[in-house]
Amino acid sequence: MEPAGLPHRVPPLLLLLLLLTNFMPSFGKETLRTTAVTPQFERNMDYADFIHLNILEKKVLNNSEVLVQYLCSKPCIVSLEAVASSEFRTGVPVYRRRWKDEKNLYISQTRQVHLKFPSIMVYRDDFIIRNSIMVHSVILYAWISHKPVSSYDVEQNESYQEAVAKNYTFLEAVPPFERPYKDHKVCLQWGADYLWMLQANKIPQCPHESDGVQILNFIYASSGEKTGIVKRFEQFENRELETVRQHQIDYPMFTVSIWLYLLHHCEKDLCGILYFIDPKEMYGTPAVFLSEEGCVHIQMHLIRGDDLAVKTSFSLPLKQWFRLDLSFKGGQIEVSSVGKNLRRQHHQSFIFREDFYYDDTAGYFVVGGSGYVNGIEAFFGPVKYYRLNVLDTEQISNPLYDKETVEQIEHYYERCMDIQEVVYEYKHIVRQGQLAQRNCYSENYYLEQLRKYGEKSRCDAFMWGKELREKYHTLFKMLQEMDFSAPDDESDAVLEVGQRIFEKVAKDLSSADGLSKMGSSVHLLVDSSCCGYHKASYFLAVIFETGLGVPVDRTKGLLYSLVGAQGNERLAVMNLGYKHYQGINNYPIDLELSYAYYSNIAIKTSLDQHTIKGEQAFVETIRLMDDELLKAQTKENGDVFMWLKHEATRGNAAAQQRLAQMLFWGQQGVAKNPEAAIEWYAKGATETEDPVLIYDYAIVLFKGQGVKKNTKLALELMKKAAAKGLPQAVNGLGWYYHNFKRDYRKAAKHWLLAEELGNPDASYNLGVLYLDGIYPGVPSRNQTVAARYFYKAAQGGHIEGTLRCSLYYITGNVEDFPRDPEKAVIWAKHIAEKNGYLGHVIRKALNAYLELSWHEALLHYVLAAETGIEVSQSNLAHLCEERPELARKYLATDCVWRYYNFSASQINAPSFAYLKMGDFYYYGYQNQSKDLELSVRMYAQAALEGDSQGFFNLALLIEEGNSIPSYILDHLEIDQALHSGNASLLQELYYRCWNHSNQESISPCSIALLYFYMRVFWNAILQSTLIYFMGTFLLSILIAFAVHYFQTLSASNSLGTRSEPSSDEPSSSGNSNEDATQPAQQDESTLSNDSAEQELNPQNPLVTS
């Protein structure tokens, strides 16, 4: 039976063919839409509308040729349109063409079209086309539209979407510098044409710029202090990106993604995660903090100027890695937390009543803490910032890079939780047993003595399983050896155990053969670290990084450096700051990250100097090769100290002053003893009229350091010292009026006077008055003037002034301090290296060296050197040179090469370090290859430091036939006219060598210079015309005598008579021969002297002069 509605004359087979034709799927880029079925069935079946594009070269070229093949079943309009897209704009029409076809129905037509594109798309930049654009893609669309029946549907029917047949193809964009120049058919003026030709063939190297910025790509240990990573963003170089950024200032669209490993929630108020500080030093958009409950607190600055904050309903997890994603769009915030598996854990949205104001170039970002808020106690992983885009969690590309270290951190804290639980429970059990024993027996003298001298209480009946005891067997053994009878604070029980473990290990390692016990000590150090005593963490970091008694393990070294830094161990923090400053051991160079670490210790250095507690000593620059300084080191029973004490007792003011300083700061090998120092300050202030002693004692009385405060007496002493003209005392009076009387006018008066006397403290204090807006006669705060005073104080060595300036250099928020992260790091590093705890380690190393305790000296010098302080690095290298067998046995790294290299890389490197490295590069050192150019650079740097040996070595390099690059000679400020001639260059170098040496005695430089002048004089004689005349004359005489002699001899033979020669003939002949050969002998002597000199000194003279 046939379907209803179809004419009976159509056979079923034909119907099937029709269905297959109309419903055949289309593949590829070309699309085909047929018109509806019309009564002219047979015609439509054979002639459906179509359009095809044929392009010989599918590139965006001007006047490109396109063949358009099409067929219309009705009067139609054929349209062509090219749409271009760039990185910042899409769907921009750049070419349009249309034509009508009303006559050629049911006939396939082919039309040739020449595409015309804008000049900035197809030509290179020239004098007229200034800004050609980078096009990513161009799509050429072609379609057919039937002419509408009425004018109402004209616009709708002619669109690409409503076309009866359509097609498209892609055109390949040509890079700007592969495009041809356009012939503009114009003549430029000569000047304009010449200016253009100067830069016509220069291809600018445009850096790839994206809105996605990696703020942090390495793990950062945040200790919860008021320091963090400071980042500042400039305007985009790409004008399209910058245009978008400026448009989004009042409707921001950006995303921040932060990996975190939280150890604790905020202890008090809010702790900084990431926030923006504007030029007025106020919080801007965004300000993301962590609350006490672990919630995310977000504060935003609105367009009207208000600030509003929201808080998430969920809290962030502890001790697991997660990613915090925040996206901002207009007045809306999306907050998500994502786990390591990239699955979303929490999500929350916030909508504000108005849009945010956001200009990320008008201020700076802070990751962690700052002077305004404490940071979080956590490890920061990679931090990614998308400046112009709002991205979903799935779209964010911010992976955890160093997965091995990430897993090590997780494993460390899991292990430490077990250890802390064991220690706490063990100590609790022992204490409970002691209490039970005391309750059972009444107190008597016998029991008291038994507890005092008898065997200590310990726990033998373990409540822990066998597996746990075997896992931590060294810890259980150590716990059994400890005495827990002394009462202490239960909250610090675990930390106290960690300290005891560390002290025992440190004592063992400092023994005569202590480093041989390193392998067995590592487990105990790990237990101590887990108990929160992070001196052990730093020990482990250095041990694994340097291979000190164990194989090198960089991953573990990094782990314990991070753990120690997070635990606020000063040396560990400095170690990370130094590694990121220099890029050592594959640490990435990151100046902002380095500053975050160094500024932390720099701030502590200022605080530590005002604290008389702790293991601190004054950081002194004492080099092991300086015999005079080594002889001056003493102890409380040493000759130097006893002599000073004798003189001080007799009333010698200088001896009293020096003795008090040594005791107060722990200088010159004397242990720190503030109480004894104060006694000498008091004795000197009351018995002598020395203004320095009077001032020092007044400061002690003002602050109550080791003595009861006495403001009245302190003020009298301060006025007395000031009356004697002591600048520090005049500044002290200003400090008194500022802090005790709040009389800023008198304070400013005294500080101005002290500053004129050159006191840096006074400069700093004046800066504080301007910064706080309390300077007399100035109505408001003036940060610019304050910064100038701080800079002047820093130039005088003032610690707080230097800290302020380093902060200005890292933020770039002050007028006279352009952002300079490297200078900020250098200044912060300079202050951090004055820290008393570092000084204590250096002093222990020096004392061990003087006592010939080589294992202890090596251990502590390695600990100090890895913090980046130069004096310890060069001393360690010197120790390894003196004791090579010790270094080879216990250090896996090449000690001499490594630490002289580190020393030479420092800003304050000594000249001998440059000379050492120059020799190593010249001769080649063990596994290091020779490098003449680096050797020359090292010698030149030593010369710039004023070392005569540097000039001497450079001159000898030239003597050996080597050349010195011109840029090094320019660096030495040697006239370019001397570069080409070796003689003139040698003269200049030897003269500078002599000029920088001790001119009162005969030095190698003076001998070398004299020898050079003698050679020049002799060469001048050899090359003069006089020597040729004398040689010719003497040769003529010799020939004449020879002819005369032979003539006489032949005459005598012919006569048969024997004649006696005259007495003067042999001597004359001999003298003539001697004279005639004299120039040749002298010339030969010059060459032999050189060879003889080389034989006498087989070592190259570049080592020492």
Side-chain angles (χ1 to χ4, degrees):
M1 182 178 177
E2 296 177 359
L6 286 176
H8 293 285
R9 62 186 180 90
V10 181
L13 185 59
L14 188 59
L15 176 61
L16 180 60
L17 181 61
L18 173 63
L19 291 173
L20 288 173
T21 304
N22 285 335
F23 293 96
M24 181 68 67
S26 175
F27 299 97
K29 296 179 180 177
E30 297 182 359
T31 60
L32 182 65
R33 178 178 291 181
T34 60
T35 56
V37 177
T38 65
Q40 300 173 342
F41 177 78
E42 291 141 357
R43 267 188 164 178
N44 269 342
M45 183 178 60
D46 296 333
Y47 300 100
D49 295 72
F50 71 84
I51 186 167
H52 295 294
L53 297 172
N54 187 12
I55 305 176
L56 296 177
E57 192 173 7
K58 290 190 174 184
K59 290 187 176 182
V60 181
L61 304 172
N62 210 33
N63 211 22
S64 296
E65 184 179 298
V66 181
L67 296 178
V68 183
Q69 186 181 2
Y70 65 94
L71 182 146
C72 294
S73 60
K74 287 183 178 182
C76 63
I77 300 172
V78 183
S79 302
L80 284 180
E81 183 176 77
V83 178
S85 297
S86 66
E87 186 175 359
F88 311 105
R89 296 184 64 189
T90 59
V92 180
V94 292
Y95 174 82
R96 279 181 180 146
R97 176 78 185 275
R98 56 187 295 230
W99 66 87
K100 298 178 181 179
D101 195 336
E102 300 176 348
K103 299 178 181 180
N104 302 309
L105 303 181
Y106 309 109
I107 300 173
S108 177
Q109 300 288 319
T110 300
R111 185 159 184 162
Q112 186 179 21
V113 179
H114 293 277
L115 302 178
K116 298 285 187 181
F117 295 109
S119 296
I120 58 174
M121 286 179 57
V122 292
Y123 293 113
R124 280 186 67 170
D125 283 355
D126 58 20
F127 193 79
I128 296 174
I129 302 173
R130 289 306 180 107
N131 296 304
S132 60
I133 61 174
M134 176 80 74
V135 180
H136 287 180
S137 65
V138 176
I139 306 176
L140 181 62
Y141 294 98
W143 69 92
I144 297 173
S145 304
H146 286 167
K147 291 190 66 176
V149 179
S150 63
S151 61
Y152 178 78
D153 296 326
V154 171
E155 184 176 346
Q156 182 178 1
N157 290 340
E158 291 186 12
S159 66
Y160 182 78
Q161 288 76 14
E162 299 300 325
V164 295
K166 52 189 175 182
N167 205 337
Y168 67 91
T169 187
F170 287 93
L171 301 180
E172 181 184 349
V174 179
F177 295 103
E178 294 180 13
R179 301 171 188 170
Y181 288 107
K182 183 177 181 179
D183 185 3
H184 294 283
K185 307 296 183 184
V186 295
C187 292
L188 299 175
Q189 294 181 353
W190 179 87
D193 186 57
Y194 178 73
L195 288 174
W196 168 246
M197 291 304 295
L198 288 176
Q199 57 179 342
N201 294 320
K202 291 182 180 179
I203 299 178
Q205 300 297 318
C206 301
H208 175 70
E209 194 170 16
S210 170
D211 78 312
V213 182
Q214 198 75 43
I215 293 180
L216 182 65
N217 56 13
F218 198 82
I219 297 175
Y220 166 51
S222 175
S223 59
E225 300 293 318
K226 290 194 171 184
T227 56
I229 301 169
V230 177
K231 289 283 184 178
R232 193 178 184 102
F233 297 102
E234 303 297 331
Q235 296 180 356
F236 287 104
E237 294 181 10
N238 186 298
R239 57 181 179 272
E240 286 85 0
L241 279 175
E242 180 57 24
T243 300
V244 174
R245 189 195 69 80
Q246 292 183 4
H247 287 167
Q248 292 184 3
I249 287 177
D250 54 0
Y251 190 83
M253 297 175 64
F254 63 97
T255 304
V256 180
S257 175
I258 308 168
W259 280 100
L260 289 171
Y261 186 89
L262 274 177
L263 296 176
H264 306 284
H265 292 147
C266 192
E267 289 187 2
K268 184 179 179 182
D269 299 329
L270 298 174
C271 298
I273 297 177
L274 182 142
Y275 43 95
F276 187 77
I277 304 295
D278 66 15
K280 296 181 181 179
E281 297 295 320
M282 303 291 289
Y283 289 125
T285 297
V288 184
F289 305 99
L290 183 69
S291 69
E292 297 178 48
E293 304 85 15
C295 301
V296 182
H297 178 102
I298 307 171
Q299 179 176 308
M300 307 298 287
H301 187 66
L302 306 182
I303 292 177
R304 291 187 309 176
D306 299 336
D307 291 289
L308 286 180
V310 294
K311 186 170 70 173
T312 60
S313 58
F314 62 87
S315 60
L316 299 179
L318 294 178
K319 294 186 178 177
Q320 61 175 275
W321 284 99
F322 67 92
R323 197 178 77 191
L324 181 64
D325 296 337
L326 304 105
S327 61
F328 305 84
K329 183 178 181 181
Q332 184 175 350
I333 304 175
E334 301 286 337
V335 185
S336 302
S337 68
V338 180
K340 278 179 66 178
N341 56 5
L342 299 183
R343 291 183 180 177
R344 182 180 289 179
Q345 298 172 337
H346 302 282
H347 177 79
Q348 195 168 355
S349 300
F350 302 96
I351 300 178
F352 286 65
R353 64 172 181 259
E354 63 177 282
D355 294 340
F356 312 134
Y357 178 85
Y358 179 62
D359 183 359
D360 65 352
T361 63
Y364 57 91
F365 276 97
V366 178
V367 176
S370 68
Y372 306 105
V373 65
N374 286 86
I376 58 175
E377 293 185 57
F379 294 98
F380 282 86
V383 179
K384 188 74 173 283
Y385 168 42
Y386 296 90
R387 300 177 67 182
L388 303 177
N389 284 301
V390 175
L391 301 178
D392 294 332
T393 297
E394 297 77 14
Q395 297 174 304
I396 294 172
S397 175
N398 184 29
L400 271 171
Y401 296 109
D402 192 353
K403 292 188 178 180
E404 186 178 3
T405 305
V406 165
E407 292 172 358
Q408 289 267 10
I409 290 174
E410 288 180 321
H411 178 70
Y412 170 83
Y413 283 102
E414 288 172 2
R415 185 180 190 277
C416 289
M417 287 177 65
D418 292 342
I419 289 177
Q420 290 175 11
E421 185 177 351
V422 167
V423 169
Y424 186 82
E425 290 295 331
Y426 183 94
K427 188 171 183 179
H428 179 71
I429 291 172
V430 172
R431 289 287 175 83
Q432 291 297 320
Q434 291 173 349
L435 289 174
Q437 186 179 15
R438 290 177 186 177
N439 292 333
C440 292
Y441 300 98
S442 58
E443 289 293 326
N444 56 49
Y445 179 79
Y446 172 74
L447 289 177
E448 183 181 346
Q449 296 299 311
L450 183 64
R451 283 198 301 271
K452 187 174 181 181
Y453 299 106
E455 186 177 352
K456 307 303 177 185
S457 299
R458 64 188 224 175
C459 180
D460 293 322
F462 287 112
M463 60 175 285
W464 299 276
K466 181 180 179 182
E467 182 180 352
L468 193 66
R469 293 202 309 270
E470 290 178 352
K471 185 177 181 181
Y472 303 118
H473 66 280
T474 54
L475 174 63
F476 281 110
K477 183 179 179 182
M478 180 65 69
L479 289 173
Q480 287 181 292
E481 295 175 358
M482 285 187 178
D483 177 19
F484 293 102
S485 59
D488 58 6
D489 186 4
E490 289 292 333
S491 61
D492 294 328
V494 177
L495 180 63
E496 186 231 348
V497 170
Q499 182 177 354
R500 291 190 191 182
I501 295 173
F502 174 79
E503 288 172 350
K504 182 181 185 308
V505 173
K507 183 178 180 181
D508 291 342
L509 294 178
S510 298
S511 60
D513 59 343
L515 295 181
S516 61
K517 306 173 185 176
M518 186 65 75
S520 60
S521 301
V522 168
H523 295 294
L524 291 173
L525 288 172
V526 172
D527 295 340
S528 175
S529 171
C530 277
C531 291
Y533 199 73
H534 290 296
K535 284 185 178 181
S537 302
Y538 181 62
F539 263 60
L540 289 167
V542 172
I543 288 168
F544 284 117
E545 283 192 353
T546 62
L548 184 59
V550 298
V552 173
D553 191 330
R554 305 283 189 206
T555 304
K556 286 186 177 179
L558 171 60
L559 167 68
Y560 289 109
S561 289
L562 291 169
V563 168
Q566 199 288 318
N568 245 333
E569 168 55 32
R570 287 161 176 77
L571 273 64
V573 177
M574 292 178 65
N575 171 272
L576 286 174
Y578 177 62
K579 295 297 194 321
H580 284 294
Y581 173 47
Q582 295 284 1
I584 296 169
N585 292 351
N586 296 322
Y587 284 63
I589 294 178
D590 189 330
L591 296 177
E592 286 91 351
L593 185 52
S594 175
Y595 175 81
Y597 289 124
Y598 271 128
S599 61
N600 184 5
I601 305 306
I603 293 170
K604 284 183 171 59
T605 298
S606 177
L607 299 174
D608 291 342
Q609 287 192 354
H610 295 90
T611 304
I612 60 177
K613 298 179 181 179
E615 294 181 334
Q616 296 191 67
F618 190 79
V619 179
E620 300 170 279
T621 304
I622 300 172
R623 303 193 182 278
L624 299 184
M625 59 283 294
D626 191 333
D627 294 333
E628 294 299 322
L629 272 178
L630 291 180
K631 290 176 183 177
Q633 302 307 302
T634 184
K635 287 189 175 181
E636 288 78 356
N637 56 355
D639 293 341
V640 175
F641 185 85
M642 297 303 293
W643 180 82
L644 282 172
K645 190 174 181 180
H646 172 72
E647 290 296 309
T649 306
R650 292 178 55 194
N652 187 318
Q656 291 172 345
Q657 185 184 134
R658 183 62 193 139
L659 198 62
Q661 288 176 349
M662 290 166 64
L663 289 167
F664 193 86
W665 296 108
Q667 294 178 350
Q668 211 168 321
V670 176
K672 193 173 182 180
N673 190 343
E675 291 78 10
I678 291 168
E679 292 179 6
W680 287 109
Y681 281 136
K683 182 177 177 66
T686 54
E687 294 181 1
T688 70
E689 294 296 317
D690 183 68
V692 174
L693 286 168
I694 296 172
Y695 166 77
D696 287 337
Y697 187 51
I699 289 295
V700 167
L701 291 172
F702 268 130
K703 295 184 176 181
Q705 291 180 320
V707 69
K708 187 178 180 181
K709 282 186 179 182
N710 190 335
T711 306
K712 183 179 179 181
L713 177 59
L715 179 61
E716 292 177 3
L717 293 172
M718 191 67 74
K719 287 181 178 179
K720 186 176 180 181
K724 294 178 177 292
L726 187 69
Q728 302 96 296
V730 178
N731 171 74
L733 286 177
W735 175 80
Y736 168 79
Y737 287 116
H738 177 272
N739 288 278
F740 290 89
K741 297 296 183 181
R742 299 289 185 240
D743 189 338
Y744 303 128
R745 190 172 298 279
K746 282 189 176 180
K749 177 183 176 182
H750 283 88
W751 284 338
L752 285 170
L753 179 59
E755 193 207 16
E756 290 179 4
L757 296 173
N759 183 257
D761 292 321
S763 300
Y764 178 81
N765 292 334
L766 289 170
V768 171
L769 289 182
Y770 278 103
L771 188 65
D772 293 343
I774 56 176
Y775 191 88
V778 178
S780 60
R781 69 194 303 266
N782 190 327
Q783 190 178 29
T784 304
V785 176
R788 291 171 186 163
Y789 277 112
F790 292 148
Y791 185 81
K792 189 173 182 180
Q795 294 293 92
H798 194 274
I799 289 180
E800 285 83 1
T802 307
L803 276 174
R804 290 274 186 180
C805 291
S806 70
L807 177 64
Y808 294 154
Y809 279 123
I810 198 69
T811 63
N813 241 20
V814 180
E815 183 179 342
D816 295 335
F817 290 79
R819 178 168 159 80
D820 190 339
E822 185 174 8
K823 188 174 287 187
V825 171
I826 291 171
W827 286 39
K829 180 177 183 288
H830 174 70
I831 299 302
E833 289 177 351
K834 295 178 180 292
N835 190 271
Y837 289 90
L838 173 61
H840 177 72
V841 175
I842 295 173
R843 171 49 62 180
K844 288 185 75 173
L846 182 60
N847 288 344
Y849 178 84
L850 295 173
E851 293 168 3
L852 308 183
S853 179
W854 306 119
H855 284 243
E856 185 181 4
L858 181 66
L859 172 64
H860 286 95
Y861 268 129
V862 171
L863 292 170
E866 287 295 309
T867 66
I869 186 167
E870 187 282 320
V871 64
S872 293
Q873 291 174 341
S874 56
N875 281 349
L876 177 56
H878 179 79
L879 175 61
C880 291
E881 279 187 309
E882 281 189 334
R883 299 285 167 179
E885 70 288 344
L886 183 70
R888 282 194 298 269
K889 184 175 181 181
Y890 293 111
L891 277 174
T893 56
D894 190 338
C895 176
V896 177
W897 170 270
R898 175 182 173 89
Y899 292 103
Y900 271 134
N901 200 0
F902 285 176
S903 176
S905 301
Q906 300 275 14
I907 294 295
N908 58 338
S911 59
F912 68 81
Y914 294 123
L915 293 172
K916 281 285 185 181
M917 291 307 301
D919 292 343
F920 292 160
Y921 283 123
Y922 182 83
Y923 294 112
Y925 183 80
Q926 294 186 4
N927 296 328
Q928 308 297 330
S929 59
K930 297 181 180 181
D931 192 322
L932 184 61
E933 185 174 355
L934 279 176
S935 176
V936 172
R937 288 171 60 181
M938 290 293 119
Y939 293 145
Q941 194 61 43
L944 283 173
E945 296 294 322
D947 195 311
S948 59
Q949 182 74 53
F951 291 108
F952 188 82
N953 290 356
L954 289 173
L956 287 178
L957 283 173
I958 297 175
E959 296 267 24
E960 293 181 349
N962 299 304
S963 60
I964 299 177
S966 295
Y967 73 90
I968 292 179
L969 297 176
D970 291 336
H971 198 55
L972 291 170
E973 297 182 352
I974 293 177
D975 191 354
Q976 289 192 351
L978 306 177
H979 290 193
S980 57
N982 281 354
S984 55
L985 187 56
L986 278 171
Q987 180 180 355
E988 179 68 17
L989 291 172
Y990 279 134
Y991 176 77
R992 292 194 183 191
C993 175
W994 170 77
N995 197 37
H996 284 86
S997 59
N998 185 4
Q999 298 178 12
E1000 295 180 358
S1001 61
I1002 298 176
S1003 66
C1005 292
S1006 57
I1007 295 173
L1009 184 62
L1010 177 62
Y1011 179 59
F1012 171 78
Y1013 283 137
M1014 291 176 62
R1015 284 187 297 165
V1016 170
F1017 176 72
W1018 182 247
N1019 288 335
I1021 293 176
L1022 291 178
Q1023 294 173 6
S1024 66
T1025 56
L1026 177 62
I1027 196 64
Y1028 291 110
F1029 172 75
M1030 292 295 296
T1032 305
F1033 176 72
L1034 292 174
L1035 185 59
S1036 301
I1037 295 175
L1038 178 62
I1039 293 172
F1041 272 99
V1043 170
H1044 177 69
Y1045 173 75
F1046 284 115
Q1047 287 178 346
T1048 306
L1049 184 61
S1050 61
S1052 63
N1053 289 337
S1054 62
L1055 293 174
T1057 60
R1058 187 173 181 178
S1059 139
E1060 291 291 334
S1062 61
S1063 62
D1064 62 341
E1065 282 180 352
S1067 61
S1068 298
S1069 176
N1071 289 338
S1072 299
N1073 285 324
E1074 188 176 348
D1075 291 341
T1077 57
Q1078 188 66 33
Q1081 290 175 352
Q1082 288 175 341
D1083 190 36
E1084 184 179 344
S1085 176
T1086 303
L1087 294 173
S1088 64
N1089 281 342
D1090 291 343
S1091 61
E1093 184 180 1
Q1094 291 178 3
E1095 290 171 0
L1096 289 172
N1097 187 11
Q1099 296 292 329
N1100 192 292
L1102 292 175
V1103 180
T1104 54
S1105 54

